[in-house]
Amino acid sequence: MELRSVVASVESGEQDTVLRVLQIYNREKSQCFTFDDEDFEERKKMAQLLIKFLERELQPSCRVTCLESIRILSRDKHCLDPFTTKEGLKTLSRHAGIDYSEELIREVPDLDVILESLKCLCNVVFSSSRAQELTAEARLVVGLAKRIKLYNEGSLPHEGKFFDLRLLFLRVDIRQQLAQELRGISLMTDTLELTLGVKWMDPYEVATEEGPLPPLPRQETERAMEILKVLFNITFDSSKREVDEEDAALYRHLGALLRHCLMISADGEDRTEEFHSHTVNLLGNLPLKCLDVLLTPKVQPGSLEYMGVNMDAVSILLDFLERRLDRGHKLKESLTPVLNLLTESARVHRQTRKFLKAKVLPPLRDVRNRPEVGNSLRNKLVRLMTHIDTDVKHCAAEFLFVLCKESVSRFVKYTGYGNAAGLLAARGLMAGGREEGEYSEDEDTDTEEYKEAKPNINPVTGRIEEKLPNPMEGMTEEQKEYEAMKLVNMFDKLSREQVIQPMGITPSGNLAPMENAIRDMADDRSSSDSDLGLD
């Protein structure tokens, strides 16, 4: 059906005619997501007519059909102007049942109308910054929050709840208002608890039955993931600030729910992976001191115990990391959240660090291969230390460095100096030493194989190297001196032509141009002599 005819029918305003024409249009365009430029003016006029038509007293079936047409038109980012006015957004929010006023939220009884209106609002808010500004002014989030509080009454079906939560997630600009004024963290944590249907054994431990936990049903999984995304938006800076005891208790309660999310599966491997991914992202936002809830549950029959602590959640995170490594897709987005989470957990919890160290960096036995060669988790992580993406290689190196208790010698032992150089240079540790950190003084345990091979290990490559023939064998002293000077002259030429820049290590352990490093070393030596009273 030609768009011009549809517009003419809508312009007539006759309800039965409009209903019939729009039903045909909706069937034809239900899967349309791209639009021709030549019809732009007609689509824009149709959008203006429909939003005005919607303000009339209409039969529910006509209202739903009209909203379906608006949803189709709202897919066109260039045709949003009629929907991104105060009047247009107020009309859509009123039909969605979230038009906020000081007294009440005006409910629209027809659930199909609510659902279609929410879908329209999601499209418009997602694509238009102007719509985001206007919905903030209209305090749309307050209406959404009020309805979310009523979820335990069970009057709204799954799809209505899902698009409520989706719309709330898309409103990134109101996260501060949601978090503070509307106590959004508490609200969304309660909503997550309701969605998961959990019961509590202790304040920070979810009660579970013996045996494998049943998968979370599809609809509950979809809603839970939207809740996790909303919570991620409103807690994005929580790990960086101090929290009082009241907030800490709230975050620990949320952390315990997230631990439960890690322990359960969804309907299918891909959905479970996605569900766990959102869980990991949110765990990374929690204040570090609140991550202790991952280790809180008592050891039960079938639990993974280490040093008397339940390591089920940490083990699942480690498995999640390895799956992401093996997948090798979008490493920055998929790996850095779980790597950062494990790194910070290991930094603040001794049992977590020792468990991860045992799994990732077990005592060395095979030192004939480079640390980056092989299929062990250590090999895979060391390979990332020279990855082209700076964030990826930094996260991988930082994780292994923390597992080594931030000891340079231990770090080099497991990764090789060549792989470790990037992090050591960034930390000013090229000359060795150890970062300040609260770590126990227990020693690394070497295997007999490692002790036997240690004198022959090349510290740069981290493996036993075959002895190469001496290139100067059979030369006279004069010949050796000639070759040495030839090499010096070659380096000097490359340096003067700025092809290379000779570098040295300063007394602080940082890399610097050679002349600066030599000067700093001389100044440091002079200062030391002065302190000792030497001339």
Side-chain angles (χ1 to χ4, degrees), residues 452-528:
E452 185 178 335
K454 186 175 181 180
N456 301 314
I457 294 174
N458 182 331
V460 175
T461 61
R463 70 165 185 176
I464 297 174
E465 300 281 1
E466 292 184 12
K467 290 185 178 180
L468 299 174
N470 184 352
M472 292 191 173
E473 189 174 349
M475 287 186 183
T476 64
E477 290 303 317
E478 289 79 6
Q479 287 173 321
K480 291 178 184 177
E481 185 175 346
Y482 171 79
E483 291 295 335
M485 288 308 300
K486 183 179 175 183
L487 189 61
V488 168
N489 290 332
M490 289 168 64
F491 275 116
D492 181 59
K493 182 181 178 183
L494 290 171
S495 177
R496 281 187 285 104
E497 293 177 356
Q498 296 185 337
V499 177
I500 63 169
Q501 182 178 31
M503 304 290 284
I505 298 175
T506 67
S508 62
N510 292 307
L511 281 174
M514 184 64 74
E515 58 270 21
N516 295 351
I518 293 172
R519 186 184 63 243
D520 290 349
M521 290 289 282
D523 291 345
D524 185 64
R525 190 176 298 112
S526 174
S527 175
S528 299

Coordinates of all heavy atoms in Angstrom, one line a residue, residues 452-528:
E452 N 66.9 -27.8 39.2 CA 68.0 -28.4 38.4 C 68.2 -27.5 37.1 O 69.4 -27.4 36.7 CB 67.6 -29.8 38.0 CG 68.7 -30.6 37.2 CD 68.2 -32.0 36.9 OE1 67.4 -32.5 37.7 OE2 68.8 -32.5 36.0
A453 N 67.1 -27.0 36.5 CA 67.3 -26.3 35.2 C 67.6 -24.8 35.4 O 68.1 -24.1 34.5 CB 66.0 -26.4 34.4
K454 N 67.4 -24.3 36.6 CA 67.4 -22.8 36.9 C 68.7 -22.2 36.4 O 68.7 -21.1 35.7 CB 67.2 -22.5 38.4 CG 67.1 -21.1 38.7 CD 66.8 -20.9 40.2 CE 66.7 -19.4 40.5 NZ 66.4 -19.1 41.9
P455 N 69.9 -22.8 36.6 CA 71.2 -22.1 36.2 C 71.2 -21.9 34.6 O 72.0 -21.1 34.2 CB 72.3 -23.0 36.7 CG 71.7 -23.8 37.7 CD 70.2 -24.0 37.4
N456 N 70.5 -22.7 33.9 CA 70.6 -22.7 32.4 C 69.4 -21.9 31.8 O 69.3 -21.9 30.6 CB 70.6 -24.1 31.9 CG 71.8 -24.9 32.4 OD1 72.9 -24.4 32.4 ND2 71.6 -26.1 32.8
I457 N 68.5 -21.3 32.6 CA 67.4 -20.6 32.1 C 67.8 -19.2 31.7 O 68.4 -18.5 32.4 CB 66.2 -20.6 33.1 CG1 65.7 -22.0 33.4 CG2 65.1 -19.7 32.6 CD1 64.6 -22.0 34.5
N458 N 67.4 -18.9 30.4 CA 67.6 -17.5 30.0 C 66.5 -16.6 30.6 O 65.3 -16.8 30.3 CB 67.5 -17.5 28.4 CG 67.8 -16.1 27.9 OD1 67.5 -15.1 28.5 ND2 68.3 -16.1 26.6
P459 N 66.8 -15.7 31.4 CA 65.8 -14.9 32.1 C 64.9 -14.0 31.1 O 63.8 -13.7 31.5 CB 66.6 -14.0 33.1 CG 67.9 -13.9 32.5 CD 68.2 -15.2 31.8
V460 N 65.5 -13.7 30.0 CA 64.7 -12.9 29.0 C 63.6 -13.7 28.4 O 62.4 -13.3 28.3 CB 65.6 -12.3 27.9 CG1 64.8 -11.6 26.9 CG2 66.7 -11.4 28.5
T461 N 63.9 -14.9 27.9 CA 62.9 -15.8 27.3 C 62.2 -16.7 28.3 O 61.1 -17.2 27.9 CB 63.6 -16.6 26.2 OG1 64.5 -17.5 26.8 CG2 64.3 -15.8 25.2
G462 N 62.7 -16.9 29.5 CA 62.1 -17.7 30.5 C 62.2 -19.2 30.2 O 61.3 -19.9 30.7
R463 N 63.1 -19.6 29.4 CA 63.3 -21.0 29.2 C 64.8 -21.4 29.0 O 65.6 -20.5 28.9 CB 62.6 -21.4 27.9 CG 63.2 -20.9 26.6 CD 62.7 -21.6 25.4 NE 63.4 -21.1 24.2 CZ 63.2 -21.6 23.0 NH1 62.3 -22.6 22.8 NH2 63.9 -21.2 21.9
I464 N 65.0 -22.7 29.0 CA 66.4 -23.2 28.7 C 66.7 -23.0 27.2 O 65.9 -23.4 26.4 CB 66.5 -24.7 29.1 CG1 66.3 -24.9 30.6 CG2 67.9 -25.2 28.7 CD1 66.3 -26.3 31.0
E465 N 67.8 -22.3 26.9 CA 68.2 -22.0 25.5 C 69.3 -22.9 25.2 O 70.2 -23.2 26.0 CB 68.6 -20.5 25.4 CG 67.5 -19.5 25.7 CD 66.5 -19.4 24.6 OE1 66.6 -20.1 23.6 OE2 65.6 -18.6 24.7
E466 N 69.3 -23.4 24.0 CA 70.4 -24.2 23.5 C 71.7 -23.3 23.4 O 71.6 -22.1 23.0 CB 70.1 -24.8 22.1 CG 69.1 -25.9 22.1 CD 68.9 -26.5 20.7 OE1 69.7 -26.2 19.9 OE2 67.9 -27.2 20.6
K467 N 72.8 -23.8 23.8 CA 74.0 -23.1 23.8 C 74.4 -22.9 22.3 O 74.6 -23.8 21.6 CB 75.1 -23.8 24.5 CG 74.9 -23.7 26.1 CD 76.0 -24.3 26.8 CE 75.8 -24.3 28.3 NZ 76.9 -24.8 29.1
L468 N 74.6 -21.6 22.0 CA 75.0 -21.3 20.6 C 76.6 -21.2 20.5 O 77.2 -20.9 21.5 CB 74.4 -19.9 20.2 CG 72.9 -19.8 20.2 CD1 72.5 -18.4 19.9 CD2 72.3 -20.8 19.1
P469 N 77.1 -21.5 19.3 CA 78.5 -21.5 19.1 C 79.0 -20.0 19.4 O 78.3 -19.1 19.0 CB 78.8 -21.9 17.7 CG 77.4 -21.7 17.0 CD 76.4 -21.9 18.1
N470 N 80.2 -19.9 19.9 CA 80.8 -18.6 20.2 C 81.3 -18.0 18.8 O 82.2 -18.5 18.2 CB 82.0 -18.7 21.1 CG 82.6 -17.4 21.5 OD1 82.2 -16.3 21.0 ND2 83.5 -17.4 22.4
P471 N 80.7 -16.9 18.4 CA 81.0 -16.3 17.1 C 82.5 -15.7 17.0 O 83.0 -15.5 16.0 CB 80.0 -15.1 16.9 CG 79.6 -14.8 18.3 CD 79.6 -16.1 19.1
M472 N 83.1 -15.5 18.2 CA 84.4 -15.0 18.2 C 85.5 -16.1 18.4 O 86.7 -15.8 18.6 CB 84.6 -14.0 19.4 CG 83.7 -12.7 19.1 SD 84.1 -11.4 20.3 CE 83.2 -10.0 19.6
E473 N 85.0 -17.3 18.4 CA 86.0 -18.4 18.6 C 87.0 -18.5 17.4 O 86.6 -18.4 16.3 CB 85.2 -19.8 18.7 CG 86.1 -20.9 19.1 CD 85.3 -22.2 19.3 OE1 84.1 -22.1 19.3 OE2 86.0 -23.2 19.4
G474 N 88.3 -18.5 17.8 CA 89.3 -18.6 16.8 C 89.8 -17.2 16.3 O 90.8 -17.1 15.5
M475 N 89.2 -16.1 16.9 CA 89.7 -14.8 16.5 C 90.8 -14.4 17.4 O 90.9 -14.8 18.6 CB 88.5 -13.8 16.7 CG 87.4 -13.8 15.7 SD 86.3 -12.4 15.9 CE 85.1 -12.8 14.6
T476 N 91.7 -13.5 16.9 CA 92.8 -12.9 17.7 C 92.2 -11.8 18.5 O 91.0 -11.3 18.2 CB 93.9 -12.4 16.8 OG1 93.4 -11.3 16.0 CG2 94.5 -13.5 15.9
E477 N 92.9 -11.3 19.5 CA 92.4 -10.2 20.3 C 92.2 -8.9 19.4 O 91.2 -8.2 19.6 CB 93.4 -9.8 21.4 CG 93.5 -10.9 22.5 CD 92.1 -11.2 23.1 OE1 91.4 -10.2 23.4 OE2 91.7 -12.3 23.3
E478 N 93.1 -8.7 18.4 CA 92.9 -7.6 17.5 C 91.6 -7.7 16.7 O 90.9 -6.7 16.5 CB 94.1 -7.5 16.6 CG 95.4 -7.0 17.2 CD 96.1 -8.2 18.0 OE1 95.6 -9.3 17.8 OE2 97.1 -7.9 18.7
Q479 N 91.3 -8.9 16.2 CA 90.1 -9.1 15.4 C 88.8 -8.9 16.3 O 87.9 -8.3 15.8 CB 90.1 -10.5 14.8 CG 91.1 -10.7 13.7 CD 91.1 -12.2 13.3 OE1 91.1 -13.1 14.1 NE2 91.2 -12.4 11.9
K480 N 88.9 -9.4 17.5 CA 87.8 -9.2 18.4 C 87.5 -7.7 18.7 O 86.4 -7.2 18.7 CB 88.0 -9.9 19.8 CG 88.0 -11.4 19.7 CD 88.3 -12.0 21.0 CE 88.4 -13.5 21.0 NZ 88.7 -14.1 22.3
E481 N 88.6 -6.9 18.9 CA 88.5 -5.5 19.1 C 88.0 -4.8 17.9 O 87.1 -3.9 18.0 CB 89.9 -4.9 19.5 CG 89.8 -3.5 19.9 CD 91.2 -3.0 20.4 OE1 92.1 -3.8 20.7 OE2 91.3 -1.7 20.5
Y482 N 88.4 -5.2 16.7 CA 87.9 -4.6 15.5 C 86.4 -4.8 15.3 O 85.6 -3.9 15.0 CB 88.7 -5.2 14.3 CG 88.1 -4.8 13.0 CD1 88.4 -3.5 12.4 CD2 87.2 -5.7 12.2 CE1 87.8 -3.2 11.2 CE2 86.7 -5.3 11.0 CZ 87.0 -4.0 10.5 OH 86.4 -3.6 9.3
E483 N 85.9 -6.1 15.6 CA 84.5 -6.4 15.5 C 83.7 -5.6 16.5 O 82.6 -5.1 16.2 CB 84.2 -7.9 15.6 CG 84.8 -8.7 14.5 CD 84.1 -8.4 13.2 OE1 82.9 -8.0 13.2 OE2 84.7 -8.6 12.1
A484 N 84.2 -5.4 17.7 CA 83.5 -4.7 18.8 C 83.4 -3.2 18.4 O 82.3 -2.6 18.5 CB 84.3 -4.8 20.1
M485 N 84.4 -2.6 17.9 CA 84.4 -1.2 17.5 C 83.5 -1.0 16.3 O 82.8 0.0 16.2 CB 85.8 -0.7 17.1 CG 86.7 -0.5 18.4 SD 85.9 0.5 19.7 CE 85.6 2.0 18.8
K486 N 83.5 -2.0 15.4 CA 82.6 -1.9 14.2 C 81.1 -1.9 14.7 O 80.3 -1.1 14.2 CB 82.8 -3.2 13.3 CG 82.0 -3.2 12.1 CD 82.4 -4.5 11.3 CE 81.5 -4.6 10.0 NZ 81.8 -5.9 9.3
L487 N 80.8 -2.7 15.7 CA 79.4 -2.7 16.3 C 79.1 -1.4 17.0 O 78.0 -0.9 16.8 CB 79.3 -3.9 17.3 CG 77.9 -4.2 17.8 CD1 77.0 -4.6 16.6 CD2 78.0 -5.4 18.8
V488 N 80.0 -0.9 17.7 CA 79.8 0.4 18.4 C 79.5 1.5 17.4 O 78.6 2.3 17.5 CB 81.1 0.8 19.2 CG1 81.0 2.2 19.7 CG2 81.2 -0.2 20.4
N489 N 80.3 1.5 16.3 CA 80.1 2.5 15.2 C 78.8 2.4 14.6 O 78.1 3.4 14.2 CB 81.2 2.5 14.2 CG 82.6 2.9 14.8 OD1 82.6 3.7 15.7 ND2 83.7 2.3 14.2
M490 N 78.3 1.2 14.4 CA 77.0 1.0 13.8 C 75.9 1.5 14.7 O 75.0 2.2 14.2 CB 76.8 -0.5 13.5 CG 77.6 -1.1 12.3 SD 77.6 -2.9 12.3 CE 75.9 -3.2 11.9
F491 N 76.0 1.2 16.0 CA 75.0 1.7 16.9 C 75.0 3.3 17.0 O 74.0 3.9 17.0 CB 75.2 1.2 18.3 CG 74.5 -0.2 18.5 CD1 75.3 -1.3 18.7 CD2 73.2 -0.3 18.5 CE1 74.7 -2.6 18.9 CE2 72.6 -1.5 18.7 CZ 73.3 -2.7 18.9
D492 N 76.3 3.8 16.9 CA 76.4 5.3 17.0 C 75.8 5.9 15.8 O 75.1 7.0 15.9 CB 77.9 5.6 17.1 CG 78.1 7.1 17.1 OD1 77.6 7.7 18.1 OD2 78.8 7.7 16.2
K493 N 75.9 5.3 14.6 CA 75.3 5.9 13.4 C 73.8 5.8 13.5 O 73.1 6.8 13.1 CB 75.8 5.1 12.2 CG 75.3 5.6 10.9 CD 75.8 4.8 9.7 CE 75.2 5.3 8.4 NZ 75.6 4.5 7.2
L494 N 73.3 4.7 13.9 CA 71.8 4.6 14.0 C 71.3 5.6 15.0 O 70.2 6.1 14.9 CB 71.4 3.2 14.5 CG 71.6 2.1 13.4 CD1 71.5 0.7 14.1 CD2 70.7 2.2 12.3
S495 N 72.0 5.8 16.1 CA 71.6 6.8 17.1 C 71.6 8.2 16.6 O 70.7 9.0 16.8 CB 72.5 6.7 18.4 OG 72.1 7.6 19.3
R496 N 72.7 8.6 15.9 CA 72.8 9.9 15.4 C 71.8 10.2 14.3 O 71.3 11.4 14.2 CB 74.3 10.2 14.8 CG 75.3 10.4 15.9 CD 76.7 10.8 15.3 NE 77.4 9.7 14.8 CZ 77.5 9.4 13.5 NH1 77.0 10.2 12.6 NH2 78.2 8.3 13.1
E497 N 71.4 9.2 13.5 CA 70.4 9.4 12.5 C 69.0 9.2 13.1 O 68.0 9.2 12.4 CB 70.7 8.4 11.4 CG 71.9 8.7 10.6 CD 72.2 7.7 9.5 OE1 71.4 6.7 9.4 OE2 73.2 7.8 8.8
Q498 N 68.9 9.0 14.4 CA 67.7 8.9 15.1 C 66.8 7.7 14.7 O 65.6 7.8 14.7 CB 66.9 10.2 15.1 CG 67.6 11.4 15.7 CD 66.8 12.6 15.8 OE1 65.9 12.8 14.9 NE2 67.1 13.5 16.7
V499 N 67.5 6.7 14.2 CA 66.7 5.4 13.8 C 66.4 4.7 15.1 O 65.3 4.1 15.3 CB 67.6 4.6 12.9 CG1 66.9 3.2 12.7 CG2 67.9 5.3 11.6
I500 N 67.3 4.7 16.1 CA 67.1 4.2 17.4 C 67.5 5.2 18.4 O 68.2 6.2 18.1 CB 67.9 2.9 17.6 CG1 69.4 3.2 17.6 CG2 67.5 1.8 16.7 CD1 70.3 2.0 18.0
Q501 N 67.1 5.0 19.7 CA 67.5 5.8 20.8 C 68.0 4.9 21.9 O 67.2 4.2 22.5 CB 66.4 6.7 21.3 CG 66.8 7.7 22.4 CD 65.7 8.6 22.8 OE1 64.5 8.2 22.8 NE2 66.0 9.8 23.3
P502 N 69.3 4.9 22.2 CA 69.8 4.1 23.3 C 69.1 4.5 24.6 O 69.0 5.7 24.9 CB 71.3 4.4 23.3 CG 71.6 4.9 21.9 CD 70.4 5.6 21.5
M503 N 68.7 3.5 25.4 CA 68.0 3.8 26.7 C 68.8 3.2 27.8 O 69.6 2.2 27.6 CB 66.6 3.2 26.6 CG 65.7 3.7 25.5 SD 65.3 5.4 25.6 CE 64.0 5.3 26.9
G504 N 68.6 3.8 29.0 CA 69.2 3.2 30.2 C 68.2 3.2 31.3 O 67.1 3.7 31.2
I505 N 68.5 2.6 32.4 CA 67.6 2.5 33.6 C 68.1 3.5 34.6 O 69.3 3.5 35.0 CB 67.6 1.1 34.1 CG1 67.1 0.1 33.1 CG2 66.7 1.0 35.4 CD1 67.1 -1.4 33.5
T506 N 67.2 4.4 35.1 CA 67.5 5.3 36.1 C 67.6 4.7 37.4 O 67.1 3.5 37.6 CB 66.5 6.5 36.1 OG1 65.2 5.9 36.5 CG2 66.3 7.1 34.7
P507 N 68.1 5.4 38.5 CA 68.1 4.8 39.8 C 66.7 4.5 40.3 O 66.6 3.6 41.2 CB 68.8 5.9 40.7 CG 69.6 6.7 39.7 CD 68.9 6.7 38.4
S508 N 65.7 5.1 39.8 CA 64.3 4.8 40.2 C 63.7 3.6 39.5 O 62.6 3.2 39.8 CB 63.4 6.1 40.0 OG 63.4 6.4 38.6
G509 N 64.5 3.1 38.6 CA 64.0 1.9 37.9 C 63.2 2.2 36.6 O 62.7 1.3 36.0
N510 N 63.2 3.4 36.2 CA 62.5 3.8 34.9 C 63.4 3.8 33.8 O 64.6 4.1 33.9 CB 61.8 5.2 35.1 CG 60.7 5.2 36.1 OD1 59.8 4.4 36.0 ND2 60.8 6.1 37.1
L511 N 62.9 3.6 32.5 CA 63.7 3.8 31.3 C 63.8 5.2 31.0 O 62.8 6.0 31.1 CB 63.0 3.0 30.2 CG 63.1 1.5 30.1 CD1 62.3 0.9 29.0 CD2 64.6 1.1 29.9
A512 N 65.0 5.6 30.5 CA 65.2 7.0 30.1 C 66.3 7.0 29.0 O 67.0 6.0 28.9 CB 65.6 7.9 31.3
P513 N 66.3 8.1 28.2 CA 67.4 8.2 27.2 C 68.8 8.0 27.9 O 69.0 8.4 29.1 CB 67.3 9.6 26.6 CG 65.8 9.9 26.8 CD 65.4 9.2 28.0
M514 N 69.7 7.3 27.2 CA 71.0 6.9 27.8 C 71.7 8.0 28.6 O 72.2 7.9 29.7 CB 71.9 6.3 26.8 CG 73.2 5.7 27.3 SD 72.9 4.3 28.5 CE 72.4 3.0 27.3
E515 N 71.8 9.2 27.9 CA 72.5 10.3 28.5 C 71.9 10.8 29.8 O 72.5 11.1 30.8 CB 72.7 11.5 27.5 CG 71.4 12.1 27.0 CD 70.9 11.4 25.7 OE1 71.4 10.2 25.5 OE2 70.1 12.0 25.0
N516 N 70.5 10.8 29.8 CA 69.8 11.1 31.0 C 70.0 10.1 32.1 O 70.2 10.4 33.3 CB 68.3 11.3 30.8 CG 68.0 12.4 29.8 OD1 68.9 13.2 29.5 ND2 66.8 12.5 29.4
A517 N 70.0 8.8 31.7 CA 70.2 7.7 32.7 C 71.5 7.8 33.4 O 71.7 7.6 34.6 CB 69.9 6.4 32.1
I518 N 72.6 8.1 32.5 CA 73.9 8.1 33.0 C 74.1 9.3 34.0 O 74.7 9.2 35.1 CB 74.9 8.3 31.9 CG1 75.0 7.0 31.1 CG2 76.3 8.6 32.4 CD1 75.8 7.0 29.8
R519 N 73.5 10.5 33.6 CA 73.5 11.7 34.4 C 72.8 11.4 35.8 O 73.3 11.8 36.8 CB 72.9 12.8 33.7 CG 73.0 14.2 34.5 CD 72.3 15.3 33.9 NE 70.9 15.1 33.8 CZ 70.2 14.9 32.7 NH1 70.8 15.0 31.5 NH2 68.9 14.8 32.7
D520 N 71.6 10.8 35.7 CA 70.9 10.5 37.0 C 71.7 9.5 37.9 O 71.7 9.6 39.1 CB 69.5 9.9 36.6 CG 68.6 10.9 36.0 OD1 68.9 12.1 36.1 OD2 67.5 10.5 35.5
M521 N 72.3 8.5 37.2 CA 73.1 7.6 38.0 C 74.3 8.3 38.7 O 74.6 8.1 39.9 CB 73.7 6.5 37.1 CG 72.6 5.5 36.6 SD 72.0 4.4 37.9 CE 73.3 3.2 38.0
A522 N 74.9 9.2 38.0 CA 76.0 10.0 38.6 C 75.5 10.9 39.7 O 76.2 11.0 40.8 CB 76.7 10.8 37.5
D523 N 74.4 11.6 39.5 CA 73.8 12.4 40.5 C 73.5 11.6 41.8 O 73.7 12.0 42.9 CB 72.6 13.1 40.0 CG 72.9 14.2 39.0 OD1 74.1 14.5 38.9 OD2 72.0 14.6 38.3
D524 N 72.9 10.4 41.5 CA 72.5 9.5 42.7 C 73.7 9.1 43.4 O 73.7 9.0 44.7 CB 71.7 8.3 42.1 CG 71.2 7.5 43.2 OD1 70.3 8.0 44.0 OD2 71.6 6.3 43.3
R525 N 74.8 8.7 42.7 CA 76.0 8.3 43.4 C 76.6 9.4 44.2 O 77.1 9.2 45.3 CB 77.0 7.7 42.3 CG 78.2 7.0 42.9 CD 79.1 6.4 41.8 NE 78.4 5.4 41.1 CZ 78.1 5.6 39.8 NH1 78.4 6.7 39.1 NH2 77.5 4.6 39.1
S526 N 76.6 10.6 43.6 CA 77.2 11.8 44.2 C 76.4 12.1 45.5 O 77.0 12.4 46.6 CB 77.1 13.0 43.3 OG 77.5 14.2 44.0
S527 N 75.1 12.0 45.4 CA 74.2 12.2 46.6 C 74.5 11.2 47.7 O 74.5 11.5 48.9 CB 72.7 12.2 46.2 OG 71.9 12.3 47.3
S528 N 74.7 9.9 47.3 CA 75.0 8.9 48.3 C 76.3 9.1 49.0 O 76.5 9.0 50.2 CB 75.0 7.5 47.6 OG 73.8 7.2 47.0

